[in-house]
């Protein structure tokens, strides 16, 4: 590639652009190392060349044939075949007299380098090594290519070109470039990574479930390494991953499938439990709704006024009797906001009255049956905490409503009997009656109030 660039520039001037087209991707990197007359302006693979042709609709059948510029490649046409490289420059591969060994392929290449390193004093040959299966199978060529068919096509082409080859003309042309400096310097660039110690290798072998394979030279090679130990070393060096071992990844896959199965089962159970709890919640919700409706109906039909307020003295719920007791203003609000929900108790009741609600809210202590004058009406008021410092309820009984009055008298008489039992006994003594008889008399007064017309 580099020699050709120099030839082109000597022939056509320094300003030409040189594009290298080939089967190899490493030339893309190599091209970056040269400047001046050796500069390669761009590198394309054959795959990219095909894409370019397709993009610009270039077809061989529609183009005129033209010959390569001289000097021709001669046996350089054999270059894509691994040992064709040697034949192109007349290096002998004779097993008895030759000095070069050619090998190709990623595994052979690694073995060759290892042997070259350890046995060179016995081998005493140069190595011509290809990572791939010769340039004709390079990664820049179509992936579907068949190696031996390509070899045949290359040798057929080389033979065809050689039939019209004029050696003398070619020698003269080549000689005109004899002045070009085609030498090349190489510096050692050791890329070897430190080999991990045995403890580390054993640790990795354990990790991939290959304990006991520390000294085994042979492996299944599915991971691309000849044995488990070599893969463990590569993993330690960060060059490979545990998943590359098919035994390990197979085992992991089984575990993964089992975990997946368990997770699915748990998911199914959770789904069923969720459905059940959803149904339960729905039933509870319906039951709550039903009981709320019952309570509201009961509340609305009570003769006593009922009001529930929050910690801001805003009405949470009230019944018709409460609205009737509070008066016209409340009735008007009720028309817009049924039940006075959200209305401010402070704007509906006088200070001394709503302060009782504030007191119960802050003290959490109930006020029971307290007489409160509210305008023309006398009310019996009980206020009690519903939720500590959050909600309180009030029951307001209009003492002038006959039913309430009766109930009130009954309550009060009962309280009097309970609280003043001693006095009842004294009254009995003064009257010359037994205490139980007096109590009986008082109870009959209570009964007459409870059931008018019976006594
Ligand atoms: S794939 Fe696993 S078992 Fe096979 S050689 Fe590599 S490390 Fe050993």
């Amino acid at each position: 590639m580099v020699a050709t660039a120099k030839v082109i520039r000597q022939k056509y001037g320094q300003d030409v652009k040189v594009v290298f087209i080939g089967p190899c991707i490493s030339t893309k990197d190599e091209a970056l190392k040269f400047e001046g007359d050796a500069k390669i302006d761009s590198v394309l693979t054959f795959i990219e060349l095909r894409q370019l042709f397709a993009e610009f609709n270039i077809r061989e059948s529609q183009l005129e044939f033209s010959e390569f510029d001289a000097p021709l490649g001669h046996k350089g046409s054999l270059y894509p075949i691994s040992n064709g490289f040697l034949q192109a420059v007349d290096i002998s591969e004779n097993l008895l007299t030759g000095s070069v060994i050619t090998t190709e392929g990623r595994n052979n290449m690694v073995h060759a380098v290892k042997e070259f390193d350890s046995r060179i004093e016995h081998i005493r040959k140069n190595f011509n090594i290809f990572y791939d299966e010769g340039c004709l199978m390079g990664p820049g060529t179509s992936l579907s290519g068949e190696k031996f068919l390509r070899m045949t096509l290359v040798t057929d082409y080389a033979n065809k070109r050689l039939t019209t080859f004029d050696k003398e003309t070619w020698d003269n042309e080549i000689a005109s470039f004899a002045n070009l400096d085609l030498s090349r310097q190489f510096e050692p660039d050791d890329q070897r990574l430190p080999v991990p110690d045995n403890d580390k290798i054993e640790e990795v072998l354990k990790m991939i479930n290959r304990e006991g394979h520390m000294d085994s030279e042979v492996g299944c090679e599915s991971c691309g390494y000849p044995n488990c130990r070599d893969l463990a070393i590569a993993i330690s060096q960060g060059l490979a991953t545990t998943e590359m071992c098919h035994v390990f990844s197979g085992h992991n896959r089984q575990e993964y499938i089992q975990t997946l199965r368990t997770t699915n089962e748990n998911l199914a159970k959770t789904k069923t439990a969720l459905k059940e709890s959803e149904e339960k919640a729905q039933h509870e919700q319906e039951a709550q709704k039903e009981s709320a409706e019952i309570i509201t109906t009961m509340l609305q039909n009570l003769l006593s006024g009922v009001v529930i307020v929050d910690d801001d003295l805003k009405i949470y719920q009230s019944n018709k009797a409460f609205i009737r007791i509070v008066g016209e203003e409340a009735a008007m609000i009720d028309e817009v906001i049924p039940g006075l929900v959200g209305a401010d108790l402070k704007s509906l009741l006088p200070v001394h009255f709503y302060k009782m609600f504030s007191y119960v809210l802050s003290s959490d202590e109930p006020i029971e049956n307290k007489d409160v004058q509210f305008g023309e009406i006398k009310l019996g008021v009980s206020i009690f905490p519903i939720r500590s410092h959050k909600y309180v309820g009030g029951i307001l009984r209009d003492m002038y409503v006959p039913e309430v009055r009766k109930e009130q008298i009954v309550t009060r008489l009962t309280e009097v009997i309970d609280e003043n039992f001693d006095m009842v006994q004294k009254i009995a003594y003064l009257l010359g009656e037994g205490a139980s008889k007096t109590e009986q008399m008082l109870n009959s007064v209570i009964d007459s109030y409870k059931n008018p017309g019976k006594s």
Side-chain angles (χ1 to χ4, degrees):
M1 175 176 75
V2 178
T4 308
K6 289 191 174 204
V7 168
I8 290 168
R9 289 214 167 80
Q10 180 172 311
K11 198 166 173 180
Y12 298 107
Q14 296 298 315
D15 293 338
V16 293
K17 299 283 184 197
V18 176
V19 178
F20 177 79
I21 301 165
C24 187
I25 52 171
S26 71
T27 44
K28 286 183 181 275
D29 181 52
E30 191 184 2
L32 302 174
K33 297 185 169 79
F34 298 93
E35 283 300 327
D37 64 344
K39 185 172 183 204
I40 317 296
D41 295 284
S42 189
V43 174
L44 293 179
T45 63
F46 287 134
I47 293 173
E48 289 166 334
L49 182 67
R50 281 186 193 285
Q51 286 166 352
L52 209 59
F53 284 170
E55 202 174 313
F56 290 89
N57 201 22
I58 298 169
R59 297 204 189 107
E60 193 190 353
S61 57
Q62 293 167 357
L63 297 171
E64 261 186 52
F65 173 80
S66 70
E67 180 55 279
F68 289 109
D69 293 356
L72 295 178
H74 191 204
K75 287 191 283 181
S77 312
L78 296 171
Y79 195 99
I81 303 168
S82 300
N83 48 2
F85 165 76
L86 300 177
Q87 288 192 34
V89 290
D90 288 330
I91 293 176
S92 167
E93 275 194 288
N94 186 309
L95 291 175
L96 296 174
T97 57
S99 63
V100 179
I101 295 171
T102 297
T103 188
E104 59 184 20
R106 59 177 190 167
N107 288 336
N108 291 341
M109 175 225 157
V110 174
H111 290 142
V113 171
K114 279 185 179 166
E115 280 193 49
F116 186 85
D117 185 40
S118 60
R119 301 286 184 197
I120 191 60
E121 70 278 9
H122 300 296
I123 297 171
R124 286 177 283 114
K125 294 263 168 52
N126 292 308
F127 277 47
N128 174 35
I129 301 172
F130 294 82
Y131 178 82
D132 46 36
E133 305 277 329
C135 299
L136 50 73
M137 297 301 286
T141 63
S142 318
L143 296 176
S144 55
E146 294 162 274
K147 180 179 172 183
F148 296 100
L149 174 63
R150 283 184 178 180
M151 276 174 75
T152 308
L153 293 173
V154 167
T155 48
D156 284 355
Y157 178 77
N159 274 323
K160 187 176 144 197
R161 300 291 309 193
L162 288 172
T163 53
T164 55
F165 185 70
D166 180 347
K167 179 82 165 59
E168 198 181 328
T169 312
W170 184 79
D171 279 340
N172 290 335
E173 279 163 354
I174 288 290
S176 65
F177 300 104
N179 61 318
L180 288 176
D181 178 10
L182 301 178
S183 64
R184 176 94 189 260
Q185 301 290 319
F186 294 93
E187 297 288 331
D189 183 12
D190 196 337
Q191 298 291 314
R192 281 173 294 187
L193 295 167
V195 177
D197 59 32
N198 282 349
D199 286 351
K200 181 71 192 168
I201 299 170
E202 265 171 3
E203 188 188 312
V204 177
L205 283 170
K206 199 170 170 192
M207 202 193 299
I208 58 173
N209 303 327
R210 305 305 290 157
E211 311 101 302
H213 288 73
M214 183 73 173
D215 301 317
S216 172
E217 293 285 323
V218 188
C220 71
E221 297 193 25
S222 304
C223 55
Y225 290 86
N227 52 56
C228 309
R229 180 191 160 89
D230 280 13
L231 175 69
I233 292 171
I235 291 171
S236 309
Q237 292 170 327
L239 299 174
T241 63
T242 51
E243 285 71 30
M244 288 165 72
C245 172
H246 82 107
V247 177
F248 174 68
S249 54
H251 178 257
N252 269 5
R253 212 168 16 249
Q254 285 308 321
E255 262 186 15
Y256 179 67
I257 290 168
Q258 187 50 45
T259 313
L260 215 60
R261 198 173 285 142
T262 312
T263 310
N264 278 345
E265 283 167 9
N266 288 343
L267 259 173
K269 279 183 200 160
T270 312
K271 210 172 150 189
T272 311
L274 206 67
K275 203 173 164 208
E276 281 170 8
S277 74
E278 251 176 30
E279 283 169 6
K280 198 175 161 198
Q282 201 177 345
H283 286 144
E284 280 173 3
Q285 213 178 7
E286 280 165 10
Q288 269 175 13
K289 199 176 157 201
E290 205 172 307
S291 57
E293 277 168 13
I294 293 169
I295 290 168
T296 306
T297 312
M298 280 173 60
L299 212 62
Q300 293 304 336
N301 288 298
L302 283 177
L303 288 173
S304 303
V306 176
V307 63
I308 299 168
V309 293
D310 65 15
D311 51 351
D312 278 335
L313 294 184
K314 294 279 188 306
I315 293 176
Y316 177 74
Q317 198 172 4
S318 67
N319 69 350
K320 283 181 202 150
F322 174 78
I323 295 163
R324 193 186 61 243
I325 291 167
V326 176
E328 247 177 59
E329 196 186 336
M332 278 161 65
I333 297 172
D334 181 49
E335 275 176 26
V336 187
I337 313 165
L340 309 181
V341 177
D344 194 345
L345 194 71
K346 289 182 283 193
S347 66
L348 298 170
L349 302 181
V351 181
H352 70 280
F353 200 170
Y354 72 69
K355 286 268 186 198
M356 289 164 66
F357 284 84
S358 303
Y359 169 77
V360 176
L361 263 169
S362 59
S363 68
D364 236 11
E365 283 175 15
I367 295 172
E368 284 169 9
N369 226 3
K370 191 168 169 62
D371 292 346
V372 175
Q373 192 64 40
F374 180 58
E376 305 284 297
I377 317 168
K378 187 167 187 185
L379 296 171
V381 176
S382 294
I383 303 172
F384 47 90
I386 294 174
R387 192 177 297 165
S388 178
H389 305 296
K390 283 276 175 205
Y391 291 102
V392 296
I395 298 175
L396 287 62
R397 282 179 289 193
D398 184 344
M399 305 296 275
Y400 298 133
V401 172
E403 288 85 346
V404 175
R405 256 182 110 169
K406 254 192 278 173
E407 187 191 317
Q408 204 57 20
I409 290 166
V410 169
T411 308
R412 295 284 161 89
L413 274 173
T414 310
E415 280 170 11
V416 169
I417 293 171
D418 287 347
E419 283 173 18
N420 303 292
F421 192 68
D422 277 352
M423 206 193 294
V424 170
Q425 278 182 325
K426 279 177 196 154
I427 293 169
Y429 174 77
L430 289 171
L431 292 172
E433 300 283 353
S436 63
K437 197 172 176 191
T438 309
E439 192 186 343
Q440 225 172 14
M441 280 167 61
L442 289 170
N443 278 336
S444 70
V445 175
I446 294 171
D447 275 350
S448 70
Y449 269 97
K450 276 185 180 170
N451 307 305
K454 265 194 166 183
S455 54

